[in-house]
Amino acid sequence: MSGFSSRTDFPREWNPLARALAERRARGEALVDLTESNPTRAGLPLPDPGLLATSEAFTYAPEPTGLRSAREAVASYLGTRGVAVSAEHLILSASTSEAYAWLFKLLCEPGDNVLVPAPCYPLFEYLARLEGVELRPYRLPHAHGFGLDVGEVAAEGDARSRAVLVVNPGNPTGHFLHEGELAALAAVCEERGLALICDEVFSEFSWDEEPDRVATVAGRTLPMLTFSLSGLSKVAGMPGLKLGWTHVGGPSAARDEALGRLELVADTFLSVGTPVQQALPALLGHAPRFQAALLARVKENRGQLVAARPESASWSVVPAHGGWCAVLRIPREPGEEATCLALLEAGVLVQPGYFYDFAGGAFLVLSLLPPPEVFGAALGALVRVLAG
Ligand SMILES: Cc1ncc(COP(=O)(O)O)c(C=O)c1O
């Protein structure tokens, strides 16, 4: 249709699974939703709503990069995780999604590209397209447990590549970045003049210990411009409060130029609300309680899933180390969509791997957030349908 930008000409057709789901809901039939990713609907600890009623909540004295007190709260939160950063190097935004849009504006001319992991949560396609930026997916090989293979990154880059995006740990694959992978990636970034954008929203949610794991790139000495992203959405389970942060690091001249430019971008929008910034120290004080409850939840649900798998099953739970999801590898036949539709018919909603751009096999993605009794109630049908 004329009169609209091609950037917003997104396909909006429903896929067969979405149609079948709408039909089932219209019939009022019960469903166990193993795609639930909203932490506020999972019965996990919430902060006291009174925290947002600060005495200064209605004042307006904006600082483009975020109120100093709020940036200091993020710096001291990172300090509790053993990461030393300066509040001067932090920029607040309404979410990490918004931070991505600002970074694409900062780094890319229209037509430039950024290298993004595949499989991955489908977050970047719309963000990039709205900024006129192209995506170059690099594969996270299944053979490496969906870990980063720097050869795949290097092979996808070209003269118009401006940044590499790393999701650490991957969503939904749950694999963390390791020191050796970061060192190899840093060498490629330095050689090709690429910035590193590291999405660390799930970094707090590790299920085990691993040697050489990189928890965050914030506060590290790296040879390239480095952006480390996180926010209240996952750290405190509060996506509705709309507050994320970006730590900017790397060689000091490039870092300071990036901070100066980002300050202007942020000043153009001033998108973070005052009450949430004022409440941030208290909200981050609540975060460890939420994180502990969430971790116990996902570990219990994963334990139930692993225990429910019959020894001779033709499907498996893909090994992982963190995050909020489980990935199942299933037989190629009947495949992802047919299996999802059969599960829906049996009253269980899961996501097909294609939603996350999995390749080289058939996969399902299950949220580990539902209460254990809800999650457990779905496992009988899951095992039965997967047995064919
Ligand atoms: C890896 C990853 N990064 C970022 C986001 C978006 O977070 P925010 O709510 O801060 O925009 C998501 C959303 O699920 C995500 O999975």
Side-chain angles (χ1 to χ4, degrees):
M1 193 186 291
S2 65
F4 297 102
S5 74
S6 58
R7 296 201 311 286
T8 53
D9 189 15
F10 294 108
R12 283 176 287 164
E13 299 84 45
W14 285 26
N15 62 33
L17 186 58
R19 273 201 301 275
L21 175 61
E23 283 161 19
R24 187 177 174 98
R25 287 206 161 121
R27 291 196 299 269
E29 289 168 10
L31 186 69
V32 183
D33 185 355
L34 297 189
T35 69
E36 181 60 85
S37 62
N38 181 342
T40 68
R41 285 203 294 243
L44 292 162
L46 297 170
D48 174 359
L51 295 183
L52 286 171
T54 62
S55 60
E56 308 279 289
F58 297 120
T59 59
Y60 188 52
E63 292 174 51
T65 57
L67 296 183
R68 169 125 211 139
S69 56
R71 284 181 287 119
E72 276 168 359
V74 175
S76 59
Y77 169 73
L78 291 174
T80 63
R81 301 188 67 218
V83 183
V85 299
S86 159
E88 303 286 332
H89 300 155
L90 286 163
I91 297 197
L92 305 189
S93 56
S95 61
T96 46
S97 309
E98 184 179 56
Y100 276 117
W102 291 359
L103 294 176
F104 293 164
K105 289 185 217 304
L106 173 74
L107 298 170
C108 301
E109 301 293 351
D112 284 348
N113 65 66
V114 294
L115 304 167
V116 296
C120 186
Y121 179 79
L123 178 70
F124 308 121
E125 187 189 334
Y126 286 54
L127 285 170
R129 183 158 162 183
L130 289 170
E131 301 299 330
V133 171
E134 289 178 14
L135 297 180
R136 291 284 149 84
Y138 64 87
R139 284 272 144 213
L140 301 173
H142 189 194
H144 291 203
F146 297 109
L148 185 126
D149 178 338
V150 77
E152 297 279 339
V153 178
E156 291 306 328
D158 66 16
R160 297 210 66 176
S161 301
R162 305 293 299 127
V164 183
L165 268 59
V166 170
V167 181
N168 180 35
N171 178 19
T173 43
H175 186 99
F176 279 85
L177 187 66
H178 293 84
E179 292 294 343
E181 294 158 356
L182 177 59
L185 186 62
V188 168
C189 287
E190 188 181 18
E191 186 195 319
R192 305 200 179 176
L194 300 171
L196 172 64
I197 300 176
C198 205
D199 181 328
E200 299 170 348
V201 299
F202 290 109
S203 168
E204 277 82 349
F205 303 97
S206 72
W207 307 337
D208 53 23
E209 302 287 327
E210 278 182 293
D212 291 335
R213 174 185 284 171
V214 175
T216 173
V217 294
R220 299 175 66 118
T221 307
L222 288 165
M224 66 292 193
L225 202 47
T226 306
F227 303 93
S228 146
L229 274 50
S230 194
L232 286 185
S233 169
K234 307 292 185 289
V235 163
M238 298 272 96
L241 292 187
K242 308 311 295 175
L243 190 144
W245 53 85
T246 301
H247 177 269
V248 185
S252 54
R255 178 199 64 204
D256 292 348
E257 182 65 22
L259 282 164
R261 289 176 183 235
L262 282 172
E263 180 171 345
L264 272 168
V265 176
D267 197 21
T268 308
F269 296 98
L270 293 172
S271 52
V272 196
T274 299
V276 68
Q277 294 191 68
Q278 290 174 341
L280 194 56
L283 291 166
L284 288 171
H286 158 82
R289 224 176 106 225
F290 165 76
Q291 290 166 13
L294 186 134
L295 264 179
R297 168 75 58 87
V298 298
K299 284 185 186 175
E300 181 174 350
N301 284 342
R302 193 177 164 91
Q304 292 197 75
L305 175 63
V306 170
R309 180 185 175 274
E311 236 170 68
S312 58
S314 58
W315 56 277
S316 58
V317 183
V318 174
H321 300 275
W324 296 7
C325 294
V327 178
L328 304 188
R329 181 166 198 166
I330 60 167
R332 280 177 193 267
E333 293 301 331
E336 293 174 355
E337 190 144 271
T339 304
C340 287
L341 288 168
L343 279 167
L344 185 61
E345 195 56 40
V348 179
L349 180 64
V350 303
Q351 285 175 322
Y354 71 76
F355 186 63
Y356 295 85
D357 198 9
F358 277 87
F363 298 87
L364 300 179
V365 177
L366 278 54
S367 166
L368 295 172
L369 286 197
E373 60 282 8
V374 173
F375 190 87
L379 291 177
L382 185 86
V383 170
R384 199 173 61 252
V385 170
L386 289 180

